DNA sequence: CGCCTTGTTGCAAATGAATTGCAAACTGTG
DNA sequence: CACAGTTTGCAATTCATTTGCAACAAGGCG
């Protein structure tokens, strides 16, 4: 059930889609899988909903403010939220995982363009998935093929101010 | 100076290109940048030359056998070798870097198909680079765009034996 | 509405990859 | 062959992430 995406077609891409799944729906999700709706959990989802960037565990923890909870708890929750498919994990290769809230039904398949200097992140929508993956499956006999793709570069601001 | 690669075109891909840059040429490279030709260095290159898989620091260290050297030395050397462009670093997202020897002039740009169970690695040649990168540059004003792309799946053996 | 089972949290300690300080050992050059 | 600049071994350190465990809170049930 991949998106009908294709990296080539659209010569444009918006920076961010709307991510606004009411907290209710989110807690709804939790309830469904007999997970408990705890304060840290809600606070974390709240933070993710506010920031539409991929955030690190540390950043999320820092953004909790009032509803502070242990950093380990943040780690644990992001792992379970990922398993539940409510959050997507990204790896920009700097040794720290980042997470983004997923809208329901969204498999979160998109990629990023990351500034190598300031870490600004731009969402890149569209991807060449299925076609190539199918070819790889045929050629090498692999199944359940997925991929990880991120772009890196120097953003306009950084290119200018240096 | 990218390869004229394109992920779509060729409906096939060979598992491994020939990697046989004589050790002489390698030490030659070292000499050129006034790097010293030390025993650990040679041993490490030797190991990389023997195995055509991306290897972790640990694996390389283990494969040294006779010419054992400190693990820290392996780390340090792979870093310098990478900077020198003699080796390419890969990140399969499992939190451990892997390295592959590069042939001279080869920018090492290719991707991998990694089995999520046994970590078997297949080289995937060809990639859709320039075209898309150029579009991203145009659209977002980024420069010096590069990308990281890896495929994951279940290899035939693992699919069968489980 | 309290009880009880089960998932959760906080805290501290443990892992594991990767890096670093430092003194000793080595390489290549003059 | 001696010297200057690298590199090495070793031990200690950093940093992200995980885990053991006891105290604790959420929600179903009677």
């Amino acid at each position: 059930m991949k998106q009908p995406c294709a990296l080539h077609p659209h010569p444009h891409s918006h920076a961010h889609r709307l991510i606004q799944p009411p907290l209710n729906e989110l807690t709804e999700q939790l309830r469904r899988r007999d997970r408990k709706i705890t304060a840290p959990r809600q606070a974390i989802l709240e933070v993710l909903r506010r920031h539409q960037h991929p955030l690190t565990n540390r950043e999320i923890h820092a953004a909790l403010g009032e509803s502070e909870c242990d950093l380990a708890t943040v780690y644990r929750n992001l792992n379970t939220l990922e398993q539940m498919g409510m959050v997507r994990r990204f790896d920009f290769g700097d040794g720290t995982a980042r997470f983004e809230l997923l809208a329901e039904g969204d498999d979160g398949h998109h990629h990023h363009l990351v500034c190598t200097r300031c870490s600004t992140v731009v969402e890149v929508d569209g991807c060449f998935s299925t076609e190539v993956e199918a070819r790889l499956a045929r050629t090498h006999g692999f199944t359940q093929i997925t991929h990880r793709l991120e772009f890196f570069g120097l953003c306009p601001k950084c290119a200018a101010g240096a």
Side-chain angles (χ1 to χ4, degrees), chain A:
Chain A
M1 295 305 143
K2 285 279 158 53
Q3 289 174 266
C5 56
L7 205 39
H8 305 281
H10 305 293
H12 73 285
S13 62
H14 54 253
H16 293 297
R17 75 200 61 180
L18 288 188
I19 300 184
Q20 269 296 353
L23 194 50
N24 322 327
E25 285 194 36
L26 294 174
T27 57
E28 176 49 34
Q29 283 256 351
L30 282 170
R31 198 170 293 114
R32 242 181 270 155
R33 329 204 185 194
D34 70 317
R35 242 68 211 252
K36 301 193 172 167
I37 301 175
T38 66
R41 212 97 95 180
Q42 295 189 73
I44 289 171
L45 288 171
E46 187 54 42
V47 167
L48 286 173
R49 200 143 53 83
R50 266 204 300 281
H51 305 259
Q52 62 280 68
H53 268 316
L55 296 176
T56 66
N57 284 285
R58 248 191 176 52
E59 291 170 331
I60 294 171
H61 180 246
L64 286 175
E66 297 299 291
S67 17
E68 162 121 301
C69 74
D70 196 86
L71 181 56
T73 300
V74 176
Y75 273 98
R76 278 187 286 229
N77 275 321
L78 284 163
N79 284 338
T80 53
L81 288 175
E82 186 197 8
Q83 287 179 5
M84 297 174 55
M86 295 180 61
V87 137
R88 180 162 164 101
R89 174 192 302 263
F90 288 101
D91 169 18
F92 293 164
D94 65 345
T96 19
R98 277 153 226 265
F99 299 87
E100 238 180 42
L101 190 54
L102 288 184
E104 260 197 296
D106 183 0
D107 71 348
H109 194 80
H110 64 269
H111 304 289
H112 293 101
L113 172 53
V114 187
C115 177
T116 48
R117 192 192 301 272
C118 69
S119 294
T120 288
V121 177
V122 178
E123 269 189 28
V124 175
D125 58 307
C127 119
F128 62 111
S129 66
T130 20
E131 180 188 339
V132 180
E133 289 179 358
R135 182 161 64 67
L136 288 176
R138 235 182 293 123
T139 314
H140 301 290
F142 274 57
T143 48
Q144 299 172 37
I145 300 188
T146 59
H147 65 267
R148 180 206 305 300
L149 167 62
E150 306 298 346
F151 293 90
F152 302 91
L154 203 55
C155 76
K157 236 175 272 178
C158 286

